[in-house]
């Protein structure tokens, strides 16, 4: 690990990133270019003191769980992300290992979807990023503030959810989830996180175990109508699409409403009332 180069690289990347590119207000006058240290710390979910130690070469070796959110907050390219990991003494993701890096292009797409709730999930359906409208719409389902940031673990262990499903819809979702995990296992055979997550669900959820051993389907996602019951704006009927992020193992789960509908009016209200920051997960 090269602490000096790591610190200077972090400072250089922070200096080149303007607040508008990071989704922050631009109104205040700034003495220096780029983001303030406290702004980057907030975006990456770190303390200002720890980020200062990293930039000054005084911190120990940061973990991959710290580097991932830093790379996303700094809008690093894939090559820059890999360089960051190497500077910190970590290997870059190997072939067969799922990359969950949010590329600058994907981040810009999410930034511009102001009237859609967007959630980025990895191959095991951990929530990596959720825009402010998704946080306002889905709450704990995407923030994990109740202790569970994984969509599938939430479902198969019976956590409460704002997404309302009939028994038939729940069965269809479970079949799709199992098929999707089979596809992820085939796509990333060397990634221990995928196999480990499947083994975990098999041991903790009899429903998942039954579905896993009951077939070998591999399914692709389709657009579906989802019902969300929000504590303040009530019931929303939204189209839900799962999109692949090119160059990454991430998928974007996008919730939209028909233009001019009551559901769109409710989304607009949530967008006005919701937080302005993004919720991110390692």
């Amino acid at each position: 690990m090269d602490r000096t180069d790591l610190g200077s690289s972090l400072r250089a990347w922070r200096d080149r990133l303007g607040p508008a590119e990071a989704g922050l207000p631009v109104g205040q006058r700034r003495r220096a270019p780029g983001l303030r240290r406290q702004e980057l710390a907030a975006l990456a979910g770190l303390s200002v003191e720890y980020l200062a130690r990293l930039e000054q070469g005084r911190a120990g070796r940061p973990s991959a769980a710290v580097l991932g959110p830093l790379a996303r907050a700094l809008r690093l390219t894939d090559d820059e992300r890999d360089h960051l990991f190497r500077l910190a003494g970590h290997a870059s993701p190997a072939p067969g290992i799922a990359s969950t890096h949010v590329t600058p292009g994907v981040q810009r797409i999410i930034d511009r979807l102001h009237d859609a709730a967007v959630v980025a999930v990895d191959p095991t359906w951990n929530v990596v990023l959720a825009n402010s409208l998704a946080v306002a719409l889905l709450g704990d389902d995407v923030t994990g503030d109740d202790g569970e940031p994984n969509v599938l673990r939430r479902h198969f262990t019976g956590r409460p959810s704002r997404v309302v499903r009939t028994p038939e819809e729940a069965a269809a979702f479970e079949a799709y989830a199992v098929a999707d995990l089979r596809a992820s296992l085939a796509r990333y055979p060397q990634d221990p996180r995928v196999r480990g997550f499947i083994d975990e669900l098999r041991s903790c959820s009899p429903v998942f175990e039954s579905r896993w051993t009951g077939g070998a389907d591999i399914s692709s996602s389709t657009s579906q109508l989802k019902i969300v019951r929000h504590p303040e704006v009530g019931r929303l009927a939204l189209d839900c699409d799962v999109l692949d992020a090119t160059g990454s193992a991430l998928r974007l789960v996008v919730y939209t409403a028909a233009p001019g509908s009551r559901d769109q009016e409710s989304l607009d209200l949530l967008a006005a009332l919701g937080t302005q920051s993004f919720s991110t997960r390692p």
Side-chain angles (χ1 to χ4, degrees):
M1 172 181 169
D2 191 324
R3 295 183 183 180
T4 301
D5 283 352
L6 175 62
S8 61
S9 294
L10 288 174
R11 290 193 302 272
W13 286 325
R14 177 165 63 83
D15 287 343
R16 79 174 184 188
L17 183 64
E21 296 175 273
L24 298 173
V26 199
Q28 298 176 338
R29 298 185 63 181
R30 294 170 178 263
R31 297 179 181 177
L35 296 183
R36 298 185 177 99
R37 185 175 286 157
Q38 58 265 36
E39 291 172 332
L40 176 58
L43 289 171
L46 305 175
S47 71
V48 178
E49 294 76 14
Y50 180 64
L51 179 58
R53 294 200 304 272
L54 280 176
E55 291 188 346
Q56 294 163 4
R58 297 187 294 109
R61 180 187 181 191
S63 68
V66 167
L67 298 174
L70 260 178
R72 290 192 290 271
L74 288 165
R75 311 295 174 100
L76 301 187
T77 65
D78 288 342
D79 288 342
E80 291 169 338
R81 185 276 316 271
D82 290 349
H83 184 59
L84 171 64
F85 271 64
R86 288 191 293 269
L87 287 175
H90 293 275
S92 57
I97 303 296
S99 170
T100 58
H101 179 52
V102 181
T103 65
V106 169
Q107 183 71 69
R108 284 192 292 272
I109 291 171
I110 296 172
D111 290 345
R112 285 160 173 74
L113 291 177
H114 300 297
D115 60 349
V118 186
V119 182
V121 297
D122 71 11
T124 60
W125 289 80
N126 283 310
V127 175
V128 175
L129 180 151
N131 71 1
S132 57
L133 182 51
V135 172
L137 175 69
L138 298 168
D140 288 343
D141 287 28
V142 295
T143 64
D145 286 345
D146 65 349
E148 184 47 74
N150 184 281
V151 175
L152 299 188
R153 194 185 290 112
R154 291 186 71 89
H155 177 83
F156 284 104
T157 58
R159 289 265 189 173
S161 172
R162 292 183 184 178
V163 178
V164 180
R165 297 184 176 95
T166 65
E168 294 76 17
E169 289 169 340
F173 174 74
E174 289 162 5
Y176 162 66
V178 168
D180 185 68
L181 285 177
R182 289 189 191 280
S184 293
L185 185 61
R187 191 175 297 117
Y188 307 108
Q190 299 178 42
D191 195 326
R193 296 169 298 180
V194 178
R195 169 59 71 182
F197 180 68
I198 291 170
D199 290 344
E200 176 195 339
L201 286 185
R202 293 185 67 179
S203 66
C204 74
S205 170
V207 173
F208 183 87
E209 169 66 9
S210 174
R211 292 194 175 278
W212 184 263
T213 57
D217 293 340
I218 294 180
S219 175
S220 59
S221 63
T222 58
S223 178
Q224 294 182 339
L225 185 70
K226 293 289 181 72
I227 304 300
V228 177
R229 184 172 294 136
H230 192 275
E232 296 176 6
V233 302
R235 179 184 182 276
L236 297 92
L238 304 172
D239 290 317
C240 178
D241 294 271
V242 181
L243 312 175
D244 289 330
T246 302
S248 171
L250 298 178
R251 273 83 56 80
L252 302 183
V253 184
V254 183
Y255 294 83
T256 58
S261 65
R262 188 200 68 82
D263 302 300
Q264 183 61 60
E265 292 176 358
S266 296
L267 276 184
D268 292 342
L269 178 59
L270 287 176
L273 298 177
T275 62
Q276 298 301 310
S277 62
F278 276 39
S279 172
T280 60
R281 295 281 165 187

